[in-house]
Structure formats: C-alpha cells, structure tokens
Amino acid sequence: MRVRVPVCWARRSLRLRLTAAAALMIAAALVGAACLLAVWLRMSLLSGLDQAALQQAQVIAANADSGSLPHIVPATGNGDTAVQVVGCGGGVRASSANLAGQPALFSFAPTTSGTPVAHSVRDLPLKGDGSWRAVGLAAGGGSDRATVYVAVPTAAVHHNLALLTVGLAISVPPAVALLTGVVWMLTGRALRPVEDLRAQTAEITAGDLGRRLDVPPADDALGRLARTLNDLLARLDDSARQQRGFVADAAHELRSPLSSLHTQLEVAVRHPASADWNARGPALVEESERLSRLVDNLLRLARLDARPRLRRHPVDLDEVVFREVRHARLRTPLVVDQRAVGAARVCGDGDALARVVRNLLDNALRHAAARIDVSLRVRDGQACLSVADDGPGIPVADRCRVFDRFTRLDSARARDTGGSGLGLAIVHDLVAAHHGRIRIEDNDPGARIVVCIPVTDP
C-alpha cells in the first residue's frame, strides 16, 4: 500500500533536513574553533613558562660565572620554582630552598641558544603531583663548568585550560541552539517562495497550460527558476496547441475519404441491382489509396514528433535520386530530367532520404505543366538537391507556410490530385533531423525546392 505524505510534512521534512545539516556544520565549526583555541592557549602559556624559566636560569648562570652564587638560591615569584645547579661530577652545587638536600634531579643536556628547549618533568619531590617545565643552561667554564636547571610548575596552565574548557562546554551548546533557531527561521523564509511556486504549479492542469507562475522581483536563483518554469509552460502550451490542431486537421482529412467510401459502399449495398462495380471500382480504389497515403503520412509525422534516432550511415544520395526518378517516371507522362544529378554521399538514414526525394517529386508532379528538372551537386560541404517544376509557382509570402502541416495553397486542386498538405511538412522535418536546410526559389516559371544536407568526409 502506498502512503501519501502530506505536502506540509514534505516541506517540513526538507526544512528539518536543511536545519539539521546546518546545525551539524555550525556545531562542527564551533567545536573545531574551541579546540584550536584551547591548543593555541596551551602553547602560548607553556611558551611563557619556558621563557620565564630560561630568564631565571640566565640570571643564576650569570651569578655562577661571577662567583657570587649562594648555596641556597633565593626564591622568585610564588616560591614554587625549583632550581638546581649541577657540577661536572653530578654533584649539586646550589639549589632552591624547596630542593635543599636533594640529589641531582635533572640529567638532560643544557640549551646552547637563546631559544629555550624545555622538557616536561614529573615526580619532583615537591608538594603536589603536577608536571613541571624545566630548562637547562650551561654556566662557568673549564673545570668549574656547571649546568643551571630551572623548573616551573604547570598547574596554573592546566587550571586555566580547565576553566576555558568548562566555559566553552557551557557556552557552545547555547550558541549552537541559537544559531540553529536562526537557520530554522531563515530556511522557512527561504522555502516559502518555493512552496508558493510549487502550489501554483500544482494548480496548473493539462487544459490550463496558459497560466503562468508569479516571478519574484529579485533576480536570483528563485527568479531564474520561475522564469525557466514559465518558459517550460509556454513550450508545453505551444506543443499542446499544435497537437490539438494536428489531431483536428487529421480528423478532418480522414473524414473526407472515409465519407466518400462509406457513401459509395452504402449506395452499392442498398441498391445492389443498380451498382456498377466496374464503374465504381476505380473511384473506390483511388479513395482507398488516398486514405492509405494519408494514414502513412500521419504515422510518419507521429514518429518524427517522437524524435526517434535515425539510422546514420553513409548513403549515396545520387543513387537514391536515380531510383526515385525511375519510380516517378512510371507514374507520369511528364518529362523528368535527371541529367544534372552528380555524385554526392551523405551520412543519414537511407529510407528517410528516399522519402524526402519521393515527396519532392510527388509535389512537383502535382504542380508541373510539362517538365520537372532534378539536379544534385556538392557545394561548400553541402549536398544540394534541387527539384524544379514549370507550374504556377509559390508566392514569396507563402514559402514558409507551405512547410506547415495540412497547408494547401489551392485546397480544391490539391484534394483532387490527392494532396493532403503533409508531404512538404515531412520533408522539412526529415531534413532538419539530418541537420540540413530547405528553401524555395523561383524557377521562372514554376518553383524550385532546394534541400542541402552536409556531406560525409572523404
């Protein structure tokens, strides 16, 4: 069973997803910033401790160099600093009061530059179990060489970092919640125009394609979306109008031969004694052939509207022209001159190209008085096929209109000669499918229809 989700819930779900994603990004950004702040603060505080320890070690080393180093080094700061001056033999020559009587507690090499190289030290015999930052500095010279070690506690750094961590843990969640609420409101405001467009689109039906969506005044992505949807609706409206007109015209064209067939058959059935089948037979066959051609043309146009993929392969267009001219000569006493047909090879569908040539010849046969001239030549990378007749010609104002479906400039004569107004429309669509062009020129007298299709590379 399919469950239909209400539109409001679908919109709320999208809003929730967007807000949740934004909340995760905000939380990740704030947590990352907090971690970076904590790391930076720890490094800054430890660097300050190392610098202070080195400065004190430099003062004590200067006293040792001058020979004025007391056995008990006076305390500095809050008295928690640990100092030991260790001689070459490993004996303690001086120390701070909190390390008096202790053996040498430091053994790392002293620093030789102005930049302190501090070491983390634990387990000093002092109150508390915290860690210490210790630096070593060489003093004296010769046999009187010694190393001054100064260690400062890091308890204050850890305490400050703990306070910062607690502060961040307390402040980050409310900040995330506040920013999430702001995102929730902004997302709802941003989705409201989208919901309006969706609601307007849902109200448009197949019979009401003339309606258009309200375009927001701002020239942003939403405005471009609304204009694009309106363009889509306009194209759908035009397509629907063309389809309705096509169906109406097809029904009108089909009704005429069907009515004629029905009338003649009905008369023959109701009056069998008076029915002269030898006289009526050719007319019935002619009407059935006209009906068959019309249905075939309608099927061809329907397939072209479905935009099928043409079978593209090299086609010798001159051979197609010669074959169709031979067939046309069997149907007419008119002169069909093909002496101007030259070799030309194109890439396309052989059946579709044969239909193009056949329709052009059929059109010329219906209008020519005595002669039809067919030519084919290659010019500027185009295979140009020309079919000219010596009929009444086509007025300049109607030369674009004749390619529309069911267009007949002389409807009575066209119907009498079997025309349905679809032949040139099929030619136009097939030539366009082959990336070609079609135009109508004067033949003086008559009309010349020229089709140009790109040739294949040699």
Side-chain angles (χ1 to χ4, degrees):
M1 182 178 65
R2 181 177 294 180
V3 179
R4 296 182 62 87
V5 180
V7 174
C8 60
W9 283 104
R11 178 188 174 193
R12 182 168 296 180
S13 176
L14 176 61
R15 187 178 180 184
L16 285 173
R17 290 196 296 269
L18 293 175
T19 305
L24 289 176
M25 295 178 61
I26 292 172
L30 290 179
V31 170
C35 293
L36 290 176
L37 177 61
V39 171
W40 174 83
L41 181 61
R42 181 177 183 276
M43 294 178 60
S44 179
L45 292 176
L46 290 180
S47 177
L49 290 179
D50 297 343
Q51 192 65 36
L54 180 61
Q55 291 177 358
Q56 186 173 354
Q58 290 173 344
V59 172
I60 297 174
N63 293 334
D65 291 340
S66 62
S68 59
L69 179 66
H71 185 68
I72 300 297
V73 179
T76 60
N78 55 8
D80 292 334
T81 303
V83 178
Q84 275 191 339
V85 181
V86 181
C88 295
V92 178
R93 295 172 54 183
S95 66
S96 58
N98 51 7
L99 292 181
Q102 296 290 336
L105 301 175
F106 308 97
S107 60
F108 57 86
T111 184
T112 58
S113 62
T115 303
V117 180
H119 298 263
S120 295
V121 179
R122 301 183 64 87
D123 301 328
L124 293 180
L126 298 172
K127 61 180 180 179
D129 297 328
S131 61
W132 302 69
R133 297 287 293 179
V135 296
L137 188 64
S143 60
D144 197 31
R145 286 182 294 120
T147 303
V148 178
Y149 293 101
V150 177
V152 293
T154 60
V157 173
H158 294 158
H159 178 71
N160 292 333
L161 290 176
L163 292 178
L164 176 63
T165 303
V166 172
L168 292 175
I170 294 175
S171 60
V172 167
V176 172
L178 177 61
L179 293 177
T180 302
V182 173
V183 171
W184 175 267
M185 291 187 298
L186 294 178
T187 304
R189 182 174 298 179
L191 290 178
R192 190 175 298 114
V194 178
E195 173 61 19
D196 294 339
L197 289 178
R198 187 211 61 79
Q200 294 178 26
T201 306
E203 294 176 357
I204 299 176
T205 61
D208 191 22
L209 293 177
R211 295 184 55 183
R212 296 295 180 265
L213 305 177
D214 296 334
V215 179
D219 187 15
D220 54 5
L222 190 59
R224 293 191 294 272
L225 174 62
R227 286 190 290 271
T228 302
L229 290 177
N230 282 337
D231 292 341
L232 174 61
L233 290 173
R235 292 193 297 271
L236 291 176
D237 190 19
D238 292 340
S239 177
R241 291 176 184 273
Q242 292 177 2
Q243 291 295 331
R244 288 194 294 267
F246 177 72
V247 171
D249 292 338
H252 176 75
E253 293 294 331
L254 289 172
R255 183 174 59 183
S256 177
L258 286 175
S259 298
S260 177
L261 284 173
H262 177 76
T263 300
Q264 297 183 59
L265 291 174
E266 186 178 14
V267 171
V269 169
R270 290 188 177 185
H271 306 281
S274 62
D276 185 1
W277 290 106
N278 291 330
R280 295 182 183 273
L284 293 175
V285 171
E286 183 181 355
E287 289 294 335
S288 65
E289 289 178 350
R290 178 167 175 259
L291 182 61
S292 177
R293 288 194 301 269
L294 179 57
V295 172
D296 181 63
N297 288 334
L298 291 175
L299 180 60
R300 176 73 60 175
L301 286 173
R303 290 176 177 174
L304 288 175
D305 288 340
R307 298 185 182 277
R309 293 198 174 189
L310 298 177
R311 299 186 302 271
R312 295 189 177 275
H313 53 83
V315 177
D316 291 326
L317 189 56
D318 52 318
E319 294 183 2
V320 175
V321 173
F322 289 144
R323 183 173 62 250
E324 294 301 325
V325 167
R326 286 196 302 269
H327 294 164
R329 285 173 174 172
L330 298 176
R331 305 192 307 269
T332 180
L334 301 178
V335 176
V336 182
D337 189 352
Q338 62 177 12
R339 288 177 297 178
V341 175
R345 172 169 287 192
V346 299
C347 183
D349 189 308
D351 294 337
L353 293 174
R355 168 70 69 167
V356 169
V357 179
R358 188 180 312 131
N359 285 8
L360 291 177
L361 289 173
D362 289 343
N363 179 76
L365 289 175
R366 283 194 296 270
H367 297 87
R371 181 183 182 86
I372 298 174
D373 294 305
V374 182
S375 66
L376 176 64
R377 67 183 64 180
V378 176
R379 182 173 53 194
D380 298 331
Q382 302 279 325
C384 295
L385 170 66
S386 171
V387 178
D389 62 73
D390 57 352
I394 302 176
V396 177
D398 296 326
R399 289 181 181 179
C400 292
R401 192 167 63 89
V402 294
F403 296 116
D404 296 337
R405 299 174 182 183
F406 300 105
T407 297
R408 291 176 296 203
L409 302 183
D410 187 350
S411 59
R413 185 172 63 86
R415 184 174 289 111
D416 293 339
T417 56
S420 61
L422 295 178
L424 292 182
I426 294 175
V427 171
H428 179 272
D429 291 349
L430 288 176
V431 171
H434 284 82
H435 308 290
R437 295 175 289 107
I438 184 171
R439 66 179 184 273
I440 299 177
E441 301 174 350
D442 290 325
N443 191 41
D444 194 25
R448 179 186 297 109
I449 301 179
V450 181
V451 169
C452 293
I453 298 176
V455 299
T456 56
D457 295 331

